[in-house]
Amino acid sequence: MRASDLKTYAKNTWCPGCGNFAIELAARQAFVELMEGGKLRIENLVVLSGIGCHAKMSDYLRVNSFYSLHGRVVAPATGVKLANPELTVVGFAGDGDAYGEGLEHLVFAAKRNVGISMIIHDNGVYGLTTGQFTPTSPPGFPGKSTPRGSPEDPINPIALMLSSGATFVARAFPGNLQHLRSMIREAISHRGFSIVDVLQPCVTFRDTWDFFSKRVYDLQERGHDSSNWEEAMDRAREWDYGGGAERIPIGIFYKAERPTFEERVLGGRRPRGLPMPNLERILKDHI
Ligand code: SF4
């Protein structure tokens, strides 16, 4: 199978030059590489997306997919994984989706180590609704809802995910397609919760191609020890998602092994194929 075989007939409506193109291409290439390496069966792959420009991934990828509500990608992804742990579950979400509306889902998925991968299209702006500030917009960002500039500091999703117990935390930039593809591949290969924060330029409402191109550097080339949580947190603090930093790390900040949520909840049981439980009896026994 070639990466182009995973495209659909849907007309692409992303703005020319949008960072989403590279994420979509990198994802298709990563899926094919994982299939070729025997680590993924395409019929076992489930992709979920939320609401926003990123969410069209569900339209453009020719795989099993589910369009969720705004900010709710993690919740159905967790349900899919619990219903059938043999599936490979990959959620795509925007920064508004993941770090705004659905933040608590994300924190708890990291805490629980649910065996899903989250790829975040983090452009620091609500592109689909024409340019409001989001949780990762820098202070002073003149969005549609804050014409005099955002009065807030951004959250740092890398530090937040490390604090929440995530067992795989990475960052990537669409300007380095090969690296982005490898981060998606590594995230999907990871056993447990994984997240890749992708610094995705929105050419229409927040064009960051130039800003990030001049600043990103590869953590792994620098010799970063991704098994060291404290070192990961130090690198996470190198840039706080505001302006300022001269150098911005991309790569795997942290990677660890821990029992997954589905292993703990199911203990080896496989819900798929079991008969429907007697709901009346369950309600009577527990309520
Ligand atoms: S509005 Fe921004 S994020 Fe949405 S498609 Fe256009 S460039 Fe991409």
Side-chain angles (χ1 to χ4, degrees):
M1 183 178 278
R2 293 167 305 171
S4 57
D5 294 331
L6 295 179
K7 286 171 88 160
T8 66
Y9 57 83
K11 184 175 179 228
N12 194 306
T13 56
W14 285 328
C15 309
C18 175
N20 283 335
F21 286 99
I23 303 176
E24 191 256 341
L25 174 60
R28 279 190 281 115
Q29 291 176 337
F31 295 155
V32 170
E33 285 172 1
L34 287 165
M35 277 190 273
E36 286 171 346
K39 291 185 174 170
L40 174 71
R41 290 171 58 196
I42 200 70
E43 63 272 28
N44 278 1
L45 174 64
V46 181
V47 157
L48 300 95
S49 61
I51 298 295
C53 293
H54 83 274
K56 297 171 188 171
M57 294 291 274
S58 285
D59 295 333
Y60 302 154
L61 293 171
R62 197 168 66 79
V63 299
N64 305 306
S65 62
F66 182 84
Y67 237 122
S68 81
L69 299 175
H70 202 187
R72 303 293 173 247
V73 179
V74 173
T78 302
V80 171
K81 190 67 183 177
L82 278 177
N84 185 356
E86 284 158 30
L87 298 177
T88 300
V89 183
V90 182
F92 292 88
D95 46 305
D97 242 34
Y99 307 142
E101 282 86 349
L103 184 64
E104 78 284 11
H105 294 301
L106 197 68
V107 167
F108 273 82
K111 168 188 181 289
R112 292 168 174 156
N113 199 29
V114 183
I116 60 174
S117 303
M118 291 298 300
I119 314 299
I120 313 301
H121 300 226
D122 185 357
N123 52 25
V125 70
Y126 285 99
L128 194 72
T129 50
T130 71
Q132 296 79 13
F133 82 109
T134 74
T136 52
S137 303
F141 172 68
K144 285 273 171 70
S145 55
T146 50
R148 292 183 189 160
S150 163
E152 300 179 17
D153 288 323
I155 62 166
N156 180 335
I158 302 292
L160 178 69
M161 287 293 94
L162 288 170
S163 307
S164 303
T167 53
F168 182 102
V169 182
R171 183 192 279 145
F173 172 54
N176 187 338
L177 183 68
Q178 196 181 341
H179 182 265
L180 170 59
R181 181 170 76 231
S182 74
M183 289 301 102
I184 295 175
R185 206 177 53 225
E186 292 286 325
I188 295 173
S189 303
H190 178 70
R191 201 177 61 83
F193 180 81
S194 57
I195 182 164
V196 184
D197 183 66
V198 186
L199 304 171
Q200 176 240 319
C202 165
V203 287
T204 303
F205 298 108
R206 188 163 175 262
D207 189 352
T208 51
W209 279 117
D210 202 39
F211 179 82
F212 288 126
S213 295
K214 287 181 179 149
R215 289 169 173 79
V216 293
Y217 76 92
D218 188 339
L219 272 174
Q220 270 61 53
E221 278 179 6
R222 177 193 182 275
H224 169 67
D225 176 6
S226 58
S227 67
N228 186 326
W229 190 91
E230 278 79 16
E231 196 181 317
M233 194 55 111
D234 284 346
R235 296 283 74 78
R237 290 188 184 122
E238 211 170 328
W239 177 57
D240 65 2
Y241 286 70
E246 287 306 310
R247 282 163 56 75
I248 297 174
I250 56 174
I252 302 172
F253 285 75
Y254 185 64
K255 188 174 174 179
E257 286 290 323
R258 191 153 63 81
T260 66
F261 186 57
E262 55 276 15
E263 286 166 353
R264 286 173 149 182
V265 169
L266 298 171
R269 284 178 295 126
R270 290 287 176 266
R272 187 173 66 100
L274 291 178
M276 274 294 286
N278 184 327
L279 290 178
E280 260 182 52
R281 193 162 142 205
I282 289 174
L283 291 173
K284 197 166 157 227
D285 287 351
H286 296 280
I287 297 183

